[in-house]
Amino acid sequence: MAEIDEVKMRPSNRKLIPILLSGAILFVIGNVWIALSSVQGLEDSHRWVDHTWEVIAQVERVISAAKDAETGSRGYLLTGDQKFLEPYRKAKTELPVSLSAFQQLTSDNQSQQVRAEEMRQVMEHRLYLSEQVNALRSSTVPLETARMTENLSAGKADMDRMRMIADEMENEERRLLGDRIRTARIAVQKVRFTLGAASVLDVILIVLMFRYFARERDLRLAAEQSAQRLALSRREVERKAEEIQLLNQSLELRVQQRTSELETINKELEAFSYSVSHDLRAPLRTIDGFSLALEEDYADVVGPEGKDYIQRVRTGVQRMGSLIDALLQLSRITRADLDRESVDLTALAQSVASQLTEQNPAQKIDFTIESDLTAQADPKLLRVALENLLGNAVKFSSKKPESRVEFGWDPTQTAWFVRDNGAGFDIHYKDKLFNAFNRLHGDKDFKGSGIGLATVARVVRRHHGRIWADAKEGEGATFWFTLG
């Protein structure tokens, strides 16, 4: 059951899979972006370091060219050999180019631009003086010796100034080089830390995803096993259902057969009972008729004892006649069609009570009938039931000074009731009340056929109702009944 509950939760968990995968992808992309950013920063740092080295080299090329120009000019001045002018002329051509290259490389550094401009001015002045000295050396005029000496002194000052500016340029670049090397080292450490942290986080993410998918795999396997068990259970249930259906069909067929047999037997019994009851009436009428003739025509011949015998014969015949009438009524109730309609129970009970009052003029009877009682029932059969119930109440309370008979609705029992203050009965024999010919009182005390309550019970059963009773000997009885 726990596996089934876990499987039921899977749809909600499945919704988390795209979210987790999206989160994992974003997380990996973030790590890659951070790592690439760190690598890019490291590349930038190294590029700046290389750039600084290139600037320093460019400064050295500028100084080297300036030295070549100075050396060539001085060599020519001392020897007058034209071959010393070759490096001078080459340096004179390279110096502006090298200085322009330096300015281009340090375009982002304003202080270097200022130094480069100053160096250009000094360099141009130094080249101008060298040109004058070279020209004086070529002319060899004595009057120009003092002027030459003056130009050489100014040229030396320019060269010193150029070296000083070059030193400032190189110092500036070496300072920047130091800063950029430190920045590059920091970038390397940052790259290492970023790559390490990203790798650790990626490993943790991979482990978590692996555990999650392993759990999903276990759940899927459990779900498949549960599905297999459910399929087997369903097939077993279907097989049992088919068996139950076959059994129900067989049972229904057997019930139909038994019902048909019982209906046939009941019809035969009813026909037999009706025929026997009806056929018995003819000989009884004959016996009653001839016994009456004997009593009227031969009373003097048979004497008092004969009269008593004849009277006993007539009494027995009349009792048998009443029993046959009761049996016929019971048989008619069984065979009669049930025709339900709205019945005014109060009016019906009052009608029966009036009839009983007329039939028992010497008995003081107090009827209490609840008003506004109605029911859906067959009025003819219901009248037979009330005649028997109210008649029994009047009969069994006849020995009381005043008979009290009640009819009404009991909300506690949710049933109609008939109550009297008569003789009552022993409650231990209440199960025998509604069987035919079972009487709880002797015929000497209360006359009767023993079929009245059986008739009432049959009427109630025809309406799919229930009847039961309660009583106390000497204090009366109460009969409840319902109508389905």
Side-chain angles (χ1 to χ4, degrees):
M1 195 64 189
E3 293 180 355
I4 295 174
D5 292 340
E6 194 172 12
V7 171
K8 289 180 178 178
M9 294 175 63
R10 290 195 61 195
S12 59
N13 289 335
R14 285 183 180 279
K15 297 178 180 178
L16 294 176
I17 294 177
I19 299 174
L20 292 176
L21 289 176
S22 301
I25 292 171
L26 293 175
F27 183 77
V28 172
I29 292 174
N31 288 338
V32 171
W33 181 81
I34 293 172
L36 291 177
S37 299
S38 300
V39 172
Q40 183 65 37
L42 178 61
E43 291 179 352
D44 293 341
S45 298
H46 282 293
R47 188 169 61 253
W48 277 111
V49 170
D50 296 339
H51 173 76
T52 306
W53 280 115
E54 186 178 358
V55 173
I56 292 173
Q58 191 64 30
V59 171
E60 291 177 351
R61 280 194 290 271
V62 170
I63 294 299
S64 177
K67 287 179 179 178
D68 290 343
E70 178 69 16
T71 302
S73 178
R74 286 183 179 275
Y76 177 71
L77 180 62
L78 293 176
T79 62
D81 191 352
Q82 290 290 330
K83 66 180 181 181
F84 288 101
L85 293 178
E86 291 298 325
Y88 167 76
R89 294 190 180 95
K90 184 178 178 182
K92 181 181 177 182
T93 305
E94 291 178 354
L95 269 174
V97 176
S98 299
L99 194 58
S100 297
F102 176 81
Q103 285 182 309
Q104 186 176 0
L105 290 173
T106 59
S107 61
D108 59 329
N109 192 330
Q110 185 63 32
S111 60
Q112 293 290 54
Q113 293 290 313
V114 172
R115 292 187 184 97
E117 186 62 26
E118 184 181 0
M119 179 172 278
R120 181 182 295 280
Q121 294 175 2
V122 175
M123 178 194 70
E124 290 176 352
H125 185 259
R126 178 66 186 90
L127 291 176
Y128 171 75
L129 293 177
S130 295
E131 287 292 332
Q132 286 185 344
V133 170
N134 291 338
L136 291 174
R137 179 66 179 85
S138 299
S139 63
T140 63
V141 179
L143 295 177
E144 297 294 333
T145 302
R147 186 179 176 186
M148 182 182 298
T149 302
E150 183 180 355
N151 288 343
L152 288 173
S153 299
K156 183 177 182 301
D158 290 339
M159 196 64 195
D160 293 339
R161 180 58 184 167
M162 289 179 63
R163 288 194 186 91
M164 186 181 67
I165 294 171
D167 292 339
E168 291 177 354
M169 289 178 175
E170 186 173 354
N171 290 335
E172 174 68 14
E173 292 302 321
R174 287 193 181 278
R175 184 186 64 77
L176 293 174
L177 177 64
D179 294 341
R180 287 166 181 171
I181 288 174
R182 284 192 294 275
T183 302
R185 289 174 181 172
I186 294 172
V188 169
Q189 294 177 356
K190 184 177 179 182
V191 168
R192 289 176 180 173
F193 175 77
T194 303
L195 292 176
S199 300
V200 171
L201 292 176
D202 289 341
V203 169
I204 293 173
L205 179 62
I206 290 171
V207 171
L208 292 176
M209 293 301 294
F210 177 79
R211 291 187 60 187
Y212 178 79
F213 284 114
R215 184 171 176 271
E216 283 291 313
R217 183 198 58 191
D218 295 339
L219 290 175
R220 185 175 66 254
L221 292 176
E224 290 175 356
Q225 293 175 356
S226 298
Q228 292 177 356
R229 287 196 293 272
L230 287 174
L232 292 175
S233 300
R234 184 176 59 190
R235 284 196 290 271
E236 183 67 16
V237 169
E238 290 176 352
R239 188 179 65 79
K240 294 292 185 184
E242 291 177 356
E243 292 180 357
I244 291 172
Q245 187 176 5
L246 292 176
L247 290 174
N248 287 335
Q249 293 176 352
S250 176
L251 181 61
E252 185 176 356
L253 181 61
R254 293 176 62 184
V255 169
Q256 290 177 354
Q257 292 175 350
R258 292 287 187 271
T259 303
S260 177
E261 292 174 358
L262 288 174
E263 288 178 350
T264 303
I265 293 172
N266 282 335
K267 289 180 180 177
E268 291 176 352
L269 287 175
E270 290 172 2
F272 176 77
S273 177
Y274 182 79
S275 299
V276 169
S277 301
H278 188 270
D279 293 343
L280 284 177
R281 295 179 65 85
L284 284 178
R285 283 196 297 270
T286 302
I287 293 172
D288 187 46
F290 281 107
S291 62
L292 179 62
L294 283 174
E295 185 179 19
E296 292 178 352
D297 297 340
Y298 298 97
D300 297 336
V301 178
V302 297
E305 187 175 358
K307 289 181 180 178
D308 181 58
Y309 290 159
I310 292 171
Q311 186 61 40
R312 290 185 180 184
V313 169
R314 291 200 64 200
T315 301
V317 169
Q318 290 173 357
R319 174 166 175 72
M320 182 171 288
S322 64
L323 290 174
I324 290 172
D325 290 341
L327 287 173
L328 288 174
Q329 185 184 42
L330 185 63
S331 177
R332 284 195 295 270
I333 290 172
T334 303
R335 290 185 288 107
D337 294 333
L338 188 66
D339 187 13
R340 288 179 181 265
E341 61 181 59
S342 180
V343 179
D344 187 348
L345 282 177
T346 300
L348 184 59
Q350 289 174 346
S351 174
V352 173
S354 299
Q355 182 181 346
L356 291 171
T357 302
E358 293 176 357
Q359 291 174 355
N360 300 277
Q363 186 177 351
K364 187 177 181 181
I365 308 172
D366 180 15
F367 282 103
T368 302
I369 299 173
E370 187 175 338
S371 59
D372 300 329
L373 296 178
T374 60
Q376 286 292 327
D378 187 306
K380 295 179 181 178
L381 296 182
L382 199 57
R383 183 178 183 86
V384 171
L386 288 180
E387 286 176 348
N388 281 281
L389 288 174
L390 294 174
N392 280 346
V394 171
K395 179 173 65 178
F396 289 107
S397 62
S398 60
K399 296 185 181 302
K400 297 288 183 179
E402 183 180 0
S403 300
R404 292 194 299 275
V405 180
E406 299 178 51
F407 174 69
W409 171 260
D410 189 341
T412 304
Q413 300 285 345
T414 62
W416 289 280
F417 70 92
V418 175
R419 182 178 295 120
D420 64 73
N421 63 338
F425 56 86
D426 188 348
I427 195 64
H428 292 94
Y429 302 104
K430 64 179 182 181
D431 294 336
K432 297 182 178 180
L433 284 173
F434 306 104
N435 297 328
F437 302 115
N438 282 331
R439 303 191 65 200
L440 302 184
H441 297 280
D443 191 58
K444 293 181 180 179
D445 297 328
F446 300 101
K447 299 291 184 182
S449 62
I451 300 177
L453 289 178
T455 302
V456 174
R458 188 161 296 185
V459 170
V460 170
R461 283 197 294 271
R462 288 294 308 274
H463 288 81
H464 306 291
R466 190 169 72 92
I467 184 169
W468 66 101
D470 189 17
K472 191 172 182 179
E473 288 184 296
E475 296 183 5
T478 302
F479 289 82
W480 290 277
F481 67 91
T482 63
L483 301 172

